[in-house]
Coordinates of all heavy atoms in Angstrom, one line a residue:
M1 N 108.1 102.4 118.9 CA 109.5 102.8 119.0 C 110.2 102.4 117.7 O 110.1 101.2 117.2 CB 110.2 102.1 120.2 CG 111.6 102.5 120.3 SD 112.5 101.6 121.6 CE 111.7 102.2 123.1
P2 N 111.1 103.2 117.1 CA 111.8 102.9 115.9 C 112.8 101.8 116.1 O 113.3 101.6 117.2 CB 112.5 104.2 115.5 CG 112.0 105.3 116.4 CD 111.3 104.6 117.5
S3 N 113.1 101.0 115.1 CA 114.1 100.0 115.2 C 115.5 100.6 115.3 O 115.7 101.7 114.7 CB 114.1 99.1 114.0 OG 112.8 98.4 113.9
P4 N 116.4 100.0 116.0 CA 117.8 100.5 116.1 C 118.4 100.6 114.7 O 118.1 99.7 113.9 CB 118.6 99.6 117.0 CG 117.5 98.9 117.8 CD 116.3 98.8 116.9
F5 N 119.3 101.6 114.4 CA 120.0 101.6 113.2 C 121.3 102.3 113.4 O 121.5 103.0 114.4 CB 119.1 102.3 112.1 CG 118.8 103.8 112.4 CD1 119.7 104.8 112.0 CD2 117.6 104.1 113.0 CE1 119.3 106.1 112.3 CE2 117.3 105.4 113.3 CZ 118.2 106.4 112.9
S6 N 122.2 102.2 112.4 CA 123.5 102.9 112.3 C 123.8 103.4 111.0 O 123.3 102.8 110.0 CB 124.6 101.9 112.7 OG 124.5 101.4 114.0
F7 N 124.5 104.5 110.9 CA 125.1 105.0 109.6 C 126.5 104.7 109.7 O 127.2 105.0 110.7 CB 124.9 106.5 109.4 CG 123.5 106.9 109.2 CD1 122.8 107.7 110.1 CD2 122.8 106.6 108.0 CE1 121.5 108.1 109.9 CE2 121.5 107.0 107.8 CZ 120.9 107.7 108.8
S8 N 127.1 104.1 108.6 CA 128.5 103.8 108.7 C 129.4 104.8 108.1 O 130.6 104.8 108.3 CB 128.8 102.4 108.0 OG 128.4 102.5 106.7
S9 N 128.9 105.8 107.4 CA 129.7 106.9 106.9 C 130.0 107.9 108.0 O 129.4 107.9 109.0 CB 129.0 107.5 105.7 OG 127.8 108.1 106.1
L10 N 131.0 108.8 107.7 CA 131.3 109.8 108.7 C 130.4 110.9 108.6 O 130.0 111.3 107.5 CB 132.8 110.3 108.5 CG 133.8 109.2 108.8 CD1 135.2 109.8 108.5 CD2 133.7 108.8 110.2
P11 N 129.9 111.6 109.6 CA 130.1 111.1 111.0 C 129.3 109.9 111.3 O 128.3 109.6 110.6 CB 129.6 112.3 111.8 CG 128.6 112.9 111.0 CD 129.0 112.7 109.6
E12 N 129.7 109.1 112.2 CA 129.0 107.8 112.5 C 127.8 108.2 113.4 O 128.0 109.0 114.4 CB 129.9 106.9 113.3 CG 129.2 105.6 113.6 CD 130.2 104.6 114.1 OE1 131.4 104.8 114.2 OE2 129.7 103.5 114.5
I13 N 126.7 107.8 113.1 CA 125.5 108.1 113.9 C 124.9 106.7 114.3 O 124.7 105.8 113.5 CB 124.4 108.9 113.0 CG1 125.0 110.2 112.7 CG2 123.1 109.0 113.8 CD1 124.2 111.0 111.7
R14 N 124.6 106.6 115.6 CA 124.0 105.4 116.1 C 122.7 105.8 116.8 O 122.7 106.8 117.6 CB 124.9 104.6 117.0 CG 126.1 104.0 116.3 CD 127.0 103.3 117.2 NE 128.1 102.8 116.4 CZ 128.3 101.5 116.3 NH1 127.6 100.6 117.0 NH2 129.3 101.0 115.6
F15 N 121.7 105.1 116.6 CA 120.4 105.4 117.2 C 119.7 104.1 117.7 O 119.8 103.1 117.0 CB 119.5 106.1 116.2 CG 118.2 106.5 116.7 CD1 118.0 107.6 117.4 CD2 117.1 105.6 116.5 CE1 116.7 107.9 117.9 CE2 115.8 105.9 116.9 CZ 115.6 107.1 117.7
G16 N 119.0 104.2 118.8 CA 118.1 103.1 119.2 C 118.3 102.8 120.7 O 119.2 103.2 121.4
A17 N 117.3 102.1 121.2 CA 117.3 101.7 122.6 C 118.5 100.9 123.0 O 118.9 100.0 122.2 CB 116.0 100.9 123.0
G18 N 119.2 101.2 124.1 CA 120.4 100.5 124.5 C 121.7 100.9 123.8 O 122.7 100.4 124.2
R19 N 121.6 101.8 122.9 CA 122.9 102.1 122.1 C 123.8 102.9 123.0 O 125.0 103.0 122.7 CB 122.5 102.9 120.8 CG 121.7 102.1 119.8 CD 122.2 100.8 119.4 NE 123.3 100.7 118.6 CZ 123.4 100.7 117.3 NH1 122.2 100.7 116.6 NH2 124.5 100.6 116.7
F20 N 123.3 103.6 124.0 CA 124.1 104.5 124.9 C 125.2 103.6 125.5 O 126.3 104.1 125.7 CB 123.3 105.2 125.9 CG 124.1 106.1 126.8 CD1 124.4 107.4 126.3 CD2 124.6 105.7 128.0 CE1 125.2 108.2 127.0 CE2 125.4 106.6 128.8 CZ 125.7 107.8 128.3
N21 N 124.9 102.4 125.8 CA 125.9 101.5 126.5 C 127.1 101.3 125.6 O 128.2 100.8 126.2 CB 125.3 100.2 126.9 CG 124.1 100.3 127.9 OD1 124.2 101.2 128.7 ND2 123.1 99.5 127.8
E22 N 127.1 101.5 124.3 CA 128.2 101.3 123.4 C 129.1 102.5 123.4 O 130.3 102.5 122.9 CB 127.7 101.1 122.0 CG 126.8 99.9 121.9 CD 126.1 99.8 120.5 OE1 126.5 100.7 119.6 OE2 125.3 99.0 120.3
L23 N 128.7 103.7 123.9 CA 129.4 104.9 123.7 C 130.8 105.0 124.2 O 131.7 105.4 123.5 CB 128.6 106.1 124.3 CG 129.0 107.5 123.9 CD1 129.2 107.7 122.4 CD2 128.0 108.5 124.4
S24 N 131.1 104.6 125.4 CA 132.4 104.6 126.0 C 133.4 103.9 125.1 O 134.5 104.3 124.8 CB 132.5 104.1 127.4 OG 131.7 104.8 128.3
R25 N 133.0 102.7 124.7 CA 133.9 101.8 123.9 C 134.1 102.5 122.5 O 135.3 102.5 122.0 CB 133.2 100.4 123.7 CG 134.1 99.5 122.9 CD 133.3 98.1 122.7 NE 132.0 98.3 122.2 CZ 131.6 98.5 121.0 NH1 132.5 98.7 120.0 NH2 130.3 98.6 120.7
L26 N 133.1 103.0 122.0 CA 133.3 103.7 120.7 C 134.2 104.9 120.7 O 135.1 105.1 119.9 CB 131.9 104.1 120.1 CG 131.0 103.0 119.7 CD1 129.6 103.6 119.4 CD2 131.5 102.3 118.4
I27 N 134.0 105.7 121.8 CA 134.9 106.9 122.0 C 136.3 106.5 122.1 O 137.2 107.0 121.4 CB 134.4 107.7 123.2 CG1 133.1 108.4 122.9 CG2 135.5 108.7 123.6 CD1 132.5 109.0 124.1
I28 N 136.6 105.5 122.9 CA 138.0 105.0 123.2 C 138.6 104.4 121.9 O 139.8 104.5 121.7 CB 138.0 104.0 124.4 CG1 137.6 104.8 125.7 CG2 139.3 103.3 124.5 CD1 137.3 103.9 126.8
G29 N 137.8 103.9 121.1 CA 138.2 103.4 119.8 C 138.9 104.5 118.9 O 139.7 104.2 118.0
Y30 N 138.5 105.7 119.1 CA 139.1 106.8 118.4 C 140.2 107.5 119.1 O 141.0 108.2 118.5 CB 138.0 107.9 118.1 CG 137.0 107.5 117.1 CD1 135.8 106.9 117.4 CD2 137.3 107.6 115.7 CE1 134.9 106.5 116.5 CE2 136.4 107.2 114.8 CZ 135.2 106.7 115.1 OH 134.3 106.3 114.2
G31 N 140.4 107.2 120.4 CA 141.5 107.8 121.1 C 141.0 108.2 122.5 O 139.9 107.9 122.9
R32 N 142.0 108.7 123.3 CA 141.7 108.9 124.7 C 141.5 110.4 125.1 O 141.5 110.8 126.2 CB 142.9 108.4 125.5 CG 143.2 107.0 125.3 CD 142.6 106.1 126.3 NE 143.0 104.7 125.9 CZ 142.3 103.7 126.4 NH1 141.3 103.9 127.2 NH2 142.6 102.5 126.1
H33 N 141.2 111.2 124.1 CA 141.0 112.7 124.3 C 139.8 113.2 123.6 O 139.9 113.8 122.5 CB 142.2 113.5 124.0 CG 142.2 114.9 124.6 ND1 143.2 115.7 124.4 CD2 141.2 115.6 125.2 CE1 142.9 116.9 125.0 NE2 141.7 116.8 125.5
P34 N 138.6 112.9 124.1 CA 137.4 113.3 123.4 C 137.0 114.8 123.8 O 137.3 115.2 124.9 CB 136.3 112.4 123.9 CG 136.8 112.0 125.3 CD 138.3 112.0 125.2
L35 N 136.4 115.5 122.9 CA 135.7 116.7 123.1 C 134.2 116.4 123.1 O 133.7 116.0 122.1 CB 136.1 117.8 122.1 CG 135.3 119.1 122.2 CD1 135.5 119.8 123.6 CD2 135.6 120.1 121.1
L36 N 133.6 116.5 124.3 CA 132.2 116.2 124.4 C 131.4 117.5 124.2 O 131.6 118.5 124.9 CB 131.9 115.6 125.7 CG 132.7 114.3 126.0 CD1 132.5 113.9 127.5 CD2 132.3 113.2 125.1
V37 N 130.5 117.6 123.2 CA 129.7 118.7 122.9 C 128.3 118.4 123.5 O 127.7 117.4 123.0 CB 129.6 119.0 121.4 CG1 128.8 120.2 121.2 CG2 131.1 119.2 120.9
L38 N 127.8 119.1 124.5 CA 126.6 118.8 125.2 C 125.7 120.0 125.2 O 126.1 121.1 125.0 CB 126.9 118.4 126.6 CG 128.0 117.2 126.8 CD1 128.3 117.1 128.3 CD2 127.5 116.0 126.2
G39 N 124.4 119.7 125.5 CA 123.5 120.8 125.7 C 123.7 121.5 127.1 O 124.6 121.1 127.8
S40 N 122.8 122.3 127.4 CA 123.0 123.1 128.6 C 122.8 122.4 129.9 O 123.5 122.6 130.9 CB 122.2 124.4 128.6 OG 120.8 124.0 128.6
Q41 N 121.9 121.4 129.9 CA 121.6 120.8 131.2 C 121.1 119.4 131.2 O 121.5 118.6 132.0 CB 120.5 121.6 132.0 CG 120.8 123.0 132.3 CD 119.6 123.7 132.9 OE1 118.8 123.1 133.5 NE2 119.5 125.0 132.7
S42 N 120.2 119.0 130.3 CA 119.5 117.7 130.4 C 120.4 116.5 130.5 O 120.2 115.7 131.4 CB 118.5 117.6 129.3 OG 119.1 117.5 128.1
F43 N 121.4 116.4 129.7 CA 122.3 115.3 129.7 C 123.2 115.3 131.0 O 123.4 114.3 131.6 CB 123.1 115.2 128.4 CG 124.0 113.9 128.4 CD1 123.4 112.7 128.3 CD2 125.4 114.0 128.5 CE1 124.2 111.5 128.3 CE2 126.2 112.9 128.5 CZ 125.6 111.7 128.4
T44 N 123.8 116.5 131.3 CA 124.7 116.5 132.4 C 124.0 116.3 133.7 O 124.6 115.9 134.7 CB 125.4 117.9 132.5 OG1 124.5 118.9 132.5 CG2 126.4 118.0 131.3
R45 N 122.7 116.5 133.8 CA 121.9 116.2 135.0 C 121.4 114.8 135.1 O 120.8 114.4 136.1 CB 120.7 117.2 135.1 CG 121.1 118.6 135.4 CD 119.9 119.5 135.6 NE 120.3 120.8 136.0 CZ 119.5 121.8 136.2 NH1 118.2 121.6 136.1 NH2 120.0 123.0 136.5
S46 N 121.6 114.1 134.0 CA 121.1 112.7 134.0 C 122.2 111.7 134.6 O 123.3 112.1 134.7 CB 120.8 112.2 132.6 OG 122.0 112.0 131.8
G47 N 121.7 110.6 135.0 CA 122.7 109.6 135.5 C 123.6 109.1 134.3 O 124.7 108.6 134.6
H48 N 123.2 109.2 133.1 CA 124.0 108.8 132.0 C 125.3 109.6 131.9 O 126.3 109.0 131.5 CB 123.2 108.9 130.6 CG 122.1 108.0 130.5 ND1 122.2 106.6 130.5 CD2 120.8 108.2 130.3 CE1 121.1 106.0 130.4 NE2 120.2 107.0 130.2
W49 N 125.2 110.9 132.2 CA 126.4 111.7 132.1 C 127.5 111.2 133.1 O 128.6 111.0 132.7 CB 126.1 113.1 132.4 CG 127.3 114.0 132.7 CD1 127.6 114.6 133.8 CD2 128.5 114.2 131.9 NE1 128.8 115.2 133.8 CE2 129.4 115.0 132.6 CE3 128.8 113.7 130.6 CZ2 130.6 115.3 132.1 CZ3 130.1 114.1 130.1 CH2 130.9 114.9 130.8
R50 N 127.1 110.9 134.3 CA 128.1 110.5 135.3 C 128.6 109.1 134.9 O 129.8 108.9 135.0 CB 127.4 110.4 136.7 CG 128.3 110.1 137.8 CD 129.2 111.4 138.2 NE 130.3 111.4 137.4 CZ 131.1 112.5 137.1 NH1 130.8 113.6 137.6 NH2 132.1 112.4 136.3
D51 N 127.8 108.2 134.4 CA 128.3 106.9 134.0 C 129.3 107.0 132.8 O 130.3 106.4 132.9 CB 127.1 106.0 133.5 CG 126.2 105.6 134.6 OD1 126.6 105.7 135.8 OD2 125.0 105.2 134.3
L52 N 129.0 107.9 131.8 CA 129.9 108.0 130.7 C 131.2 108.6 131.2 O 132.3 108.1 130.8 CB 129.2 108.9 129.6 CG 130.1 109.3 128.4 CD1 130.5 108.0 127.7 CD2 129.4 110.3 127.5
A53 N 131.1 109.7 131.9 CA 132.4 110.4 132.4 C 133.2 109.4 133.2 O 134.4 109.3 133.1 CB 132.0 111.6 133.2
D54 N 132.6 108.7 134.1 CA 133.3 107.7 135.0 C 134.0 106.6 134.1 O 135.1 106.3 134.4 CB 132.4 107.1 136.0 CG 132.0 108.0 137.1 OD1 132.6 109.1 137.3 OD2 131.0 107.7 137.9
N55 N 133.2 106.1 133.2 CA 133.8 105.0 132.3 C 135.0 105.6 131.5 O 136.0 104.9 131.4 CB 132.8 104.5 131.3 CG 131.7 103.6 132.0 OD1 132.0 103.1 133.1 ND2 130.6 103.5 131.3
L56 N 134.9 106.8 131.0 CA 136.0 107.3 130.2 C 137.2 107.6 131.1 O 138.3 107.3 130.7 CB 135.5 108.6 129.5 CG 134.5 108.3 128.4 CD1 133.9 109.6 127.8 CD2 135.1 107.5 127.2
L57 N 137.0 108.2 132.3 CA 138.1 108.5 133.2 C 138.8 107.3 133.7 O 140.0 107.2 133.7 CB 137.6 109.4 134.3 CG 137.1 110.8 134.0 CD1 136.4 111.5 135.2 CD2 138.3 111.6 133.5
R58 N 138.0 106.2 134.0 CA 138.6 105.0 134.4 C 139.5 104.4 133.3 O 140.4 103.6 133.5 CB 137.5 104.0 134.8 CG 137.1 104.1 136.2 CD 136.3 102.9 136.7 NE 135.1 102.6 135.9 CZ 133.9 103.1 136.0 NH1 133.7 103.9 137.0 NH2 133.0 102.7 135.2
S59 N 139.1 104.7 132.0 CA 139.9 104.2 130.9 C 141.1 105.0 130.5 O 141.7 104.8 129.5 CB 138.9 104.0 129.7 OG 137.9 103.1 129.9
G60 N 141.3 106.0 131.3 CA 142.5 106.9 131.1 C 142.2 108.1 130.1 O 143.2 108.6 129.6
C61 N 141.0 108.4 129.9 CA 140.7 109.5 129.0 C 140.9 110.8 129.7 O 140.6 111.0 130.9 CB 139.3 109.4 128.5 SG 139.0 108.0 127.3
L62 N 141.2 111.8 128.9 CA 141.2 113.2 129.3 C 140.0 113.8 128.7 O 139.9 113.8 127.4 CB 142.5 113.9 128.7 CG 142.6 115.4 128.9 CD1 142.6 115.8 130.4 CD2 143.8 115.9 128.2
L63 N 139.1 114.3 129.5 CA 137.8 114.8 129.0 C 137.8 116.3 128.8 O 138.2 117.0 129.8 CB 136.7 114.4 129.9 CG 136.4 113.0 130.2 CD1 135.2 112.8 131.1 CD2 136.2 112.2 128.9
D64 N 137.4 116.8 127.7 CA 137.1 118.2 127.5 C 135.6 118.3 127.1 O 135.1 117.4 126.5 CB 138.0 118.9 126.4 CG 139.3 119.2 126.9 OD1 139.4 120.0 128.0 OD2 140.3 118.8 126.3
Q65 N 135.0 119.4 127.6 CA 133.5 119.5 127.4 C 133.1 120.9 127.1 O 133.7 121.8 127.7 CB 132.8 119.0 128.6 CG 131.4 119.3 128.7 CD 130.8 119.0 130.1 OE1 131.4 118.3 130.9 NE2 129.7 119.6 130.4
V66 N 132.2 121.1 126.1 CA 131.6 122.4 125.9 C 130.1 122.2 125.9 O 129.6 121.2 125.6 CB 132.0 123.0 124.5 CG1 133.5 123.3 124.5 CG2 131.7 122.1 123.4
S67 N 129.4 123.3 126.4 CA 128.0 123.3 126.4 C 127.4 124.3 125.4 O 128.0 125.4 125.2 CB 127.5 123.7 127.8 OG 127.8 122.8 128.8
I68 N 126.4 123.8 124.7 CA 125.8 124.6 123.7 C 124.4 125.0 124.1 O 123.6 124.2 124.5 CB 125.7 123.9 122.3 CG1 127.1 123.4 121.8 CG2 124.9 124.7 121.3 CD1 128.0 124.5 121.5
T69 N 124.1 126.3 124.2 CA 122.8 126.8 124.5 C 122.3 127.6 123.3 O 122.9 128.6 122.9 CB 122.9 127.7 125.8 OG1 123.7 128.8 125.5 CG2 123.3 126.9 127.0
G70 N 121.2 127.1 122.8 CA 120.7 127.8 121.6 C 121.4 127.4 120.3 O 122.3 126.6 120.3
E71 N 121.0 128.0 119.2 CA 121.6 127.8 117.9 C 123.0 128.3 117.9 O 123.3 129.4 118.2 CB 120.8 128.4 116.8 CG 121.2 128.1 115.4 CD 121.0 126.6 115.1 OE1 120.1 125.9 115.6 OE2 121.9 126.1 114.3
P72 N 124.0 127.4 117.6 CA 125.4 127.9 117.6 C 125.7 128.9 116.4 O 125.4 128.6 115.3 CB 126.2 126.6 117.5 CG 125.3 125.7 116.8 CD 123.9 126.0 117.2
S73 N 126.2 130.0 116.8 CA 126.6 131.0 115.8 C 128.0 130.6 115.2 O 128.8 129.9 115.8 CB 126.7 132.4 116.4 OG 127.7 132.5 117.3
P74 N 128.3 131.2 114.0 CA 129.7 131.0 113.5 C 130.8 131.4 114.5 O 131.8 130.8 114.6 CB 129.7 131.8 112.2 CG 128.3 131.8 111.8 CD 127.5 131.9 113.1
E75 N 130.5 132.5 115.2 CA 131.4 133.0 116.2 C 131.6 132.0 117.4 O 132.7 131.8 117.9 CB 130.9 134.4 116.8 CG 130.9 135.5 115.8 CD 129.7 135.5 114.8 OE1 128.7 134.8 115.1 OE2 129.8 136.1 113.8
T76 N 130.5 131.4 117.8 CA 130.6 130.4 118.8 C 131.5 129.2 118.4 O 132.4 128.7 119.1 CB 129.2 129.8 119.2 OG1 128.4 130.9 119.7 CG2 129.3 128.7 120.3
I77 N 131.3 128.7 117.2 CA 132.0 127.6 116.6 C 133.5 128.0 116.5 O 134.4 127.2 116.8 CB 131.4 127.1 115.3 CG1 130.0 126.6 115.5 CG2 132.3 126.0 114.7 CD1 129.8 125.6 116.6
D78 N 133.7 129.2 116.0 CA 135.1 129.7 115.9 C 135.8 129.7 117.2 O 137.0 129.4 117.3 CB 135.2 131.1 115.2 CG 134.8 131.0 113.7 OD1 134.8 129.9 113.1 OD2 134.6 132.1 113.2
A79 N 135.1 130.2 118.3 CA 135.7 130.3 119.6 C 136.0 128.9 120.1 O 137.1 128.7 120.7 CB 134.7 131.0 120.5
I80 N 135.2 127.9 119.9 CA 135.4 126.5 120.4 C 136.6 126.0 119.6 O 137.5 125.4 120.2 CB 134.2 125.7 120.2 CG1 133.0 126.1 121.1 CG2 134.5 124.2 120.4 CD1 131.7 125.5 120.8
A81 N 136.6 126.2 118.3 CA 137.8 125.7 117.5 C 139.1 126.3 117.9 O 140.1 125.7 118.0 CB 137.5 126.0 116.0
S82 N 139.0 127.6 118.2 CA 140.2 128.3 118.7 C 140.7 127.8 120.1 O 141.9 127.6 120.3 CB 139.9 129.8 118.8 OG 141.0 130.5 119.3
Q83 N 139.7 127.6 121.0 CA 140.1 127.1 122.3 C 140.7 125.7 122.3 O 141.6 125.4 123.0 CB 138.8 127.1 123.2 CG 139.1 126.6 124.6 CD 137.9 126.7 125.5 OE1 136.8 127.3 125.1 NE2 138.0 126.3 126.7
Y84 N 140.1 124.8 121.4 CA 140.5 123.4 121.5 C 141.4 123.0 120.3 O 141.8 121.8 120.2 CB 139.3 122.5 121.5 CG 138.6 122.6 122.9 CD1 137.5 123.4 123.0 CD2 139.1 122.0 124.0 CE1 136.8 123.6 124.2 CE2 138.5 122.2 125.2 CZ 137.3 123.0 125.3 OH 136.7 123.2 126.5
G85 N 141.7 123.9 119.4 CA 142.4 123.6 118.1 C 143.8 123.0 118.3 O 144.2 122.2 117.5
S86 N 144.4 123.3 119.4 CA 145.8 122.8 119.7 C 145.8 121.8 120.8 O 146.8 121.5 121.4 CB 146.7 124.0 120.0 OG 146.3 124.6 121.1
S87 N 144.6 121.2 121.1 CA 144.5 120.4 122.3 C 144.7 118.9 122.0 O 144.4 118.0 122.8 CB 143.2 120.6 123.0 OG 143.1 121.9 123.5
A88 N 145.0 118.5 120.8 CA 145.1 117.1 120.4 C 143.9 116.3 120.7 O 143.9 115.2 121.2 CB 146.4 116.5 121.0
I89 N 142.7 116.9 120.3 CA 141.4 116.2 120.5 C 141.4 115.0 119.5 O 141.7 115.2 118.3 CB 140.3 117.1 120.2 CG1 140.3 118.3 121.2 CG2 138.9 116.4 120.2 CD1 140.0 117.9 122.6
D90 N 141.1 113.8 119.9 CA 141.0 112.6 119.1 C 139.6 112.5 118.4 O 139.6 111.9 117.3 CB 141.3 111.4 119.9 CG 142.7 111.3 120.4 OD1 143.6 111.6 119.7 OD2 142.9 111.0 121.6
V91 N 138.6 112.9 119.1 CA 137.2 112.7 118.6 C 136.3 113.7 119.2 O 136.5 114.1 120.3 CB 136.8 111.2 118.9 CG1 136.7 111.0 120.4 CG2 135.4 110.9 118.2
V92 N 135.3 114.1 118.4 CA 134.3 115.0 118.9 C 133.0 114.2 119.0 O 132.6 113.6 118.0 CB 134.1 116.2 117.9 CG1 132.9 117.1 118.4 CG2 135.4 117.1 117.8
V93 N 132.4 114.3 120.2 CA 131.2 113.5 120.4 C 130.1 114.5 120.8 O 130.2 115.2 121.8 CB 131.4 112.5 121.6 CG1 130.1 111.7 121.9 CG2 132.5 111.6 121.3
A94 N 129.0 114.6 120.0 CA 127.9 115.5 120.3 C 126.7 114.7 120.8 O 126.3 113.7 120.2 CB 127.5 116.3 119.1
I95 N 126.2 115.0 122.0 CA 125.1 114.3 122.6 C 124.0 115.4 122.9 O 124.2 116.2 123.8 CB 125.5 113.6 123.9 CG1 126.7 112.6 123.6 CG2 124.3 112.9 124.5 CD1 127.3 112.0 124.9
G96 N 123.0 115.3 122.2 CA 121.9 116.3 122.5 C 121.0 116.5 121.3 O 120.9 115.6 120.4
G97 N 120.4 117.6 121.3 CA 119.4 117.9 120.2 C 120.1 118.6 119.0 O 121.3 118.5 118.8
G98 N 119.3 119.2 118.2 CA 119.8 119.7 116.9 C 120.9 120.7 117.0 O 121.9 120.7 116.2
S99 N 120.8 121.7 117.9 CA 121.9 122.7 118.1 C 123.2 122.0 118.5 O 124.3 122.4 118.0 CB 121.5 123.7 119.1 OG 120.4 124.5 118.6
V100 N 123.1 121.1 119.4 CA 124.3 120.4 119.8 C 124.9 119.6 118.7 O 126.1 119.6 118.5 CB 124.0 119.4 121.0 CG1 125.2 118.5 121.4 CG2 123.6 120.3 122.2
L101 N 124.1 118.9 117.9 CA 124.6 118.1 116.8 C 125.2 119.0 115.7 O 126.2 118.7 115.1 CB 123.5 117.2 116.2 CG 123.0 116.2 117.1 CD1 121.9 115.3 116.4 CD2 124.1 115.3 117.7
D102 N 124.6 120.2 115.5 CA 125.1 121.2 114.5 C 126.5 121.6 115.0 O 127.4 121.7 114.2 CB 124.2 122.4 114.4 CG 122.9 122.1 113.6 OD1 122.9 121.0 112.9 OD2 122.0 122.9 113.7
A103 N 126.6 121.9 116.3 CA 127.9 122.4 116.8 C 129.0 121.3 116.7 O 130.1 121.5 116.4 CB 127.8 122.9 118.2
G104 N 128.6 120.1 117.0 CA 129.5 118.9 116.9 C 130.0 118.7 115.5 O 131.2 118.3 115.3
K105 N 129.2 119.0 114.5 CA 129.6 118.8 113.1 C 130.7 119.8 112.8 O 131.6 119.5 112.0 CB 128.5 118.9 112.2 CG 127.4 117.8 112.3 CD 126.4 117.9 111.2 CE 125.3 118.8 111.7 NZ 124.2 119.0 110.8

């Protein structure tokens, strides 16, 4: 298993066993209105999703979420930006594979 590591430049990337437990605190550090960019199913079907959502809601967060299926097209990204552009999103959090991370960027 790789050793845990972090990148400190933007965007912040954290990786390693047990790092998921830091996520709620990190999100709240940026504000109370995250846009969560997720894959189609695997994370939302996991117990981690419910734990994260519950922690954020208990902390007074307003959650917005988009699901990415497949490689995100420029049109998909434009539609997301248009939908959430005036929503006062404090932070974008992408949880998933390459397509999800591409969309989050």
Side-chain angles (χ1 to χ4, degrees):
M1 178 185 297
S3 298
F5 63 88
S6 298
F7 290 114
S8 59
S9 62
L10 294 177
E12 184 172 354
I13 298 172
R14 292 179 178 239
F15 178 86
R19 301 306 289 266
F20 184 81
N21 296 329
E22 303 171 4
L23 189 53
S24 296
R25 179 182 50 79
L26 290 169
I27 291 171
I28 293 165
Y30 287 98
R32 305 264 179 199
H33 193 176
L35 173 60
L36 303 172
V37 181
L38 308 173
S40 62
Q41 299 176 27
S42 61
F43 183 68
T44 55
R45 288 184 177 177
S46 76
H48 291 302
W49 163 241
R50 188 73 276 157
D51 291 343
L52 176 62
D54 287 347
N55 286 341
L56 292 172
L57 291 170
R58 273 194 306 272
S59 297
C61 288
L62 172 64
L63 301 181
D64 279 308
Q65 170 190 340
V66 296
S67 294
I68 301 298
T69 58
E71 188 62 32
S73 67
E75 294 80 16
T76 299
I77 300 305
D78 288 346
I80 293 168
S82 177
Q83 181 177 355
Y84 293 100
S86 62
S87 296
I89 299 293
D90 295 314
V91 61
V92 175
V93 180
I95 303 171
S99 295
V100 172
L101 298 180
D102 287 345
K105 291 186 274 182

